[in-house]
């Protein structure tokens, strides 16, 4: 996506740094406040949304607000610590020691990481994404990377902990990476809708692509606009600006596509294009931008 300044509604600098790497072109800072509202939501989404709304009330009105809630759910502990992960014990060694003590002698060690991301624009528009990673809890902490429970979490198919796998693995496979990828997809749909596409039709088409159905083969034909442009209005500091917006989809392979979004203004003299390289399961390989910065971003 284009360059954005955002505030992560959290004190956790580790998460802010990780999200800055996961959201191309974003500059993310933490929210500097003394008092925080209690987390009383019954889901990760409710907590993430509440954090973003709190940031919208007290933070910089010109910045995007990001709310993130995540947790570790352990099957043998009936899903605990779950929503209480951040309050389970002091982060790091104390929390890991408590978890291993609770699992002492337990052979069933299945677990999963869950993350929910909610983004609120300066105008209050919302996009969100969810991600999770299944795995198991190891017998002892290993590795120096990551944070939280990473030294004892072994993802399915791996013999190393997340702390051993390191930041490169996390940037592609972690629960937060998957939530960020889903958020980028949601923001991409929002961009298309802003270009005059029918949101319901577009959602149906994207759903059919991500759902791994044969309809993916006719994805381009069913896309709301064929190659070409539609009139749209961009919000600039000098007032509404007439522009043209184009969207196209090209199937690279049966399970991959490139979504191309282009905005042009000044009678076509200036343009900005986003290329989303996506899989039909929702994963994004990369997001590439070309051209002049769009005036409303």
């Amino acid at each position: 996506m284009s360059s954005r300044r955002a505030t992560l509604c959290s004190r956790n600098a580790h998460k802010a740094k990780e999200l800055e790497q996961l959201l191309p072109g974003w500059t993310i800072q933490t929210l500097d406040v003394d008092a925080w509202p209690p987390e009383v939501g019954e889901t990760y989404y409710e907590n993430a949304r509440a954090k973003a709304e709190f940031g919208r009330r007290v933070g910089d009105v010109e910045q995007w607000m990001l709310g993130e809630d995540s947790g570790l759910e352990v099957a043998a502990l009936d899903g605990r610590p779950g929503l209480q992960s951040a309050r389970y014990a002091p982060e790091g060694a104390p929390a890991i020691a408590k978890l291993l003590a609770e699992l002492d002698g337990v052979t069933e060690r299945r677990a999963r990481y869950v993350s929910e991301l909610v983004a609120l624009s300066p105008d209050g528009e919302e996009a969100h994404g969810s991600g999770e990673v299944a795995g198991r809890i190891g017998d002892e902490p290993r590795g120096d990377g990551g944070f939280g429970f990473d030294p004892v979490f072994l993802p399915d198919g791996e013999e190393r902990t997340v702390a051993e796998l390191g930041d490169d693995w996390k940037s592609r496979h972690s629960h937060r990476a998957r939530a960020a990828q889903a958020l980028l997809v949601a923001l991409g749909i929002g961009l298309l809708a802003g270009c005059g596409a029918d949101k319901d039709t577009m959602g149906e088409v994207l759903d059919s692509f991500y759902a791994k159905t044969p309809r993916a083969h006719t994805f381009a034909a069913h896309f709301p606009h064929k190659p070409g442009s539609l009139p749209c209005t961009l919000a600039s500091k000098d007032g509404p600006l007439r522009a043209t917006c184009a969207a196209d989809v090209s199937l690279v392979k049966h399970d991959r596509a490139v979504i191309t979004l282009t905005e042009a203004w000044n009678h076509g003299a200036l343009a900005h294009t986003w290329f989303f390289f996506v899989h039909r399961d929702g994963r994004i390989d990369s997001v590439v931008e070309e051209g002049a910065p769009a005036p409303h971003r």
Side-chain angles (χ1 to χ4, degrees):
M1 308 301 298
S2 58
S3 179
R4 286 194 177 102
R5 294 187 61 81
T7 297
L8 175 64
C9 302
S10 166
R11 295 189 185 95
N12 195 320
H14 292 296
K15 287 185 180 180
K17 181 179 179 181
E18 186 175 348
L19 286 170
E20 199 170 69
Q21 295 170 341
L22 295 172
L23 296 170
W26 290 52
T27 301
I28 300 175
Q29 64 185 38
T30 55
L31 184 62
D32 184 15
V33 295
D34 294 327
W36 294 79
E39 293 185 14
V40 296
E42 296 184 359
T43 65
Y44 297 103
Y45 168 77
E46 289 178 6
N47 282 336
R49 168 80 195 199
K51 292 175 187 178
E53 288 177 334
F54 174 71
R56 182 81 289 137
R57 292 194 300 271
V58 304
D60 187 338
V61 296
E62 295 184 357
Q63 290 197 12
W64 282 69
M65 293 294 155
L66 286 173
E68 195 272 350
D69 196 39
S70 54
L72 174 71
E73 299 180 351
V74 181
L77 302 180
D78 297 323
R80 289 191 300 111
L83 291 172
Q84 301 300 317
S85 293
R87 296 167 292 285
Y88 178 66
E91 183 181 349
I96 289 172
K98 180 177 178 179
L99 178 65
L100 293 180
E102 285 205 78
L103 293 175
D104 186 31
V106 177
T107 56
E108 171 50 77
R109 302 175 81 87
R110 286 184 298 111
R112 68 172 185 165
Y113 265 141
V114 181
S115 175
E116 183 77 33
L117 268 174
V118 173
L120 293 181
S121 76
D123 296 328
E125 297 178 0
E126 177 188 331
H128 67 92
S130 305
E132 65 177 68
V133 177
R136 64 193 187 282
I137 303 300
D139 296 324
E140 60 182 6
R142 302 199 312 259
D144 299 322
F147 56 93
F149 295 100
D150 288 352
V152 291
F153 188 86
L154 293 92
D156 282 351
E158 299 287 350
E159 294 303 321
R160 292 181 292 170
T161 68
V162 173
E164 292 175 305
L165 290 166
D167 291 343
D168 183 61
W169 183 93
K170 288 188 73 173
S171 70
R172 292 177 287 118
H173 303 296
S174 74
H175 56 310
R176 202 164 288 112
R178 292 175 180 179
Q181 290 164 355
L183 177 64
L184 286 174
V185 170
L187 288 167
I189 293 174
L191 280 173
L192 283 170
C195 288
D198 179 88
K199 191 171 183 179
D200 291 336
T201 302
M202 185 164 45
E204 180 182 347
V205 172
L206 289 174
D207 285 345
S208 73
F209 183 69
Y210 295 147
K212 303 182 182 180
T213 69
R215 290 177 64 191
H217 294 283
T218 56
F219 187 55
H222 286 284
F223 200 70
H225 1 301
K226 296 181 183 300
S229 61
L230 292 176
C232 60
T233 302
L234 306 181
S236 72
K237 64 181 180 180
D238 298 321
L241 180 67
R242 293 294 291 171
T244 56
C245 302
D248 190 21
V249 174
S250 302
L251 288 175
V252 181
K253 295 182 179 180
H254 73 280
D255 62 343
R256 297 183 186 181
V258 180
I259 299 176
T260 306
L261 313 175
T262 299
E263 294 173 333
W265 58 98
N266 286 9
H267 304 288
L270 296 174
H272 194 89
T273 301
W274 293 264
F275 298 95
F276 291 78
F277 295 83
V278 302
H279 295 253
R280 63 180 175 188
D281 63 3
R283 290 176 292 125
I284 296 179
D285 281 338
S286 60
V287 182
V288 177
E289 295 180 71
E290 294 182 354
H296 66 316
R297 297 296 175 197

